[in-house]
Amino acid sequence: MQKIAIVEDTAQIAAKVRETLLAEPDFAFAGRFNSAEAAIRDLPKIGADLCILDVGLPGIDGISAVAKLRALMPQMKIVIFTVFEDSDHILRAIQSGANGYLLKDTEPALFVAELKSVLLGGAPLTARVAQHIFRLLPQPESDAKTVAAEENLLTERQIDILNHIALGFSYREIADELDISEHTVRRHIENIYERLHVNSRKEAIRAGFKW
């Protein structure tokens, strides 16, 4: 069972997150902190596998707290949970070492799925956040090309889907973004796996890109 802590100063939001976590049999609620300072002081005493961290906290903001918590608890995963979806906050969070960036209007089922992904080593971004990052990425040049494109292993559509997979999009989110059915996305992904001779998202990303 994975222990999860919350750093959130709004009681109503914290209660909703706590309720979502307690409904999941794989999660245990480690505690809630009203500020980053309280979490930095007391969370190492309690221990947690994952920390859900708000940005707009009184005192030290959530993004600034990531490095401090990381230094104290290097094995703990940290997920930013916020209303901010602008590029500046997103990039600061990623650069600070956050393991994921989720928006507060994320549906509970997807929220739980994304937390499980983090605990398994993933780095989820909700769809709108991933779109911001996607726009900021430079187009592939000579030093950042897809192996698939160079060797004509994948179609342009499959490469597009692979890019979205690398940014953390779910199948449903890819379907919505590309205006195709989720079934079509799954068929494309099956073909990607077959052509790249892989069996998972992580393997597909590694096989499909060289940097």
Side-chain angles (χ1 to χ4, degrees), residues 20-195:
T20 299
L21 296 177
L22 290 176
E24 177 55 47
D26 294 332
F27 293 160
F29 183 67
R32 175 229 174 171
F33 302 91
N34 294 320
S35 67
E37 289 88 343
I40 292 166
R41 182 185 67 242
D42 297 328
L43 187 52
K45 304 172 187 176
I46 300 172
D49 299 294
L50 186 149
C51 177
I52 299 168
L53 185 59
D54 183 26
V55 171
L57 296 166
I60 299 174
D61 70 88
I63 294 176
S64 298
V66 173
K68 298 178 183 296
L69 287 169
R70 178 77 64 217
L72 293 169
M73 306 176 71
Q75 301 303 315
M76 182 177 68
K77 306 292 186 182
I78 301 174
V79 173
I80 296 295
F81 188 54
T82 182
V83 297
F84 297 112
E85 54 182 289
D86 59 281
S87 301
D88 180 59
H89 279 92
I90 296 167
L91 289 177
R92 281 182 58 217
I94 292 173
Q95 291 167 352
S96 72
N99 298 101
Y101 195 105
L102 303 178
L103 297 177
K104 288 186 176 179
D105 61 1
T106 303
E107 290 296 323
L110 178 58
F111 179 64
V112 168
E114 299 289 31
L115 294 183
K116 289 182 177 181
S117 174
V118 170
L119 290 165
L120 291 172
L125 308 169
T126 47
R128 297 200 307 277
V129 171
Q131 288 169 17
H132 278 284
I133 298 299
F134 197 78
R135 295 189 195 103
L136 294 173
L137 289 175
Q139 291 298 313
E141 300 294 344
S142 59
D143 60 339
K145 296 180 178 178
T146 62
V147 175
E150 289 182 340
E151 299 181 2
N152 295 318
L153 293 176
L154 302 180
T155 66
E156 289 186 9
R157 173 63 87 187
Q158 289 168 344
I159 291 170
D160 197 13
I161 289 174
L162 184 59
N163 284 331
H164 283 79
I165 291 174
L167 288 170
F169 279 67
S170 69
Y171 292 174
R172 178 70 266 162
E173 291 163 348
I174 294 173
D176 291 342
E177 178 71 12
L178 300 182
D179 196 24
I180 57 179
S181 71
E182 188 171 354
H183 174 72
T184 299
V185 172
R186 292 182 181 278
R187 289 294 300 275
H188 277 304
I189 291 174
E190 288 173 3
N191 289 331
I192 289 170
Y193 286 8
E194 181 178 353
R195 293 189 181 192

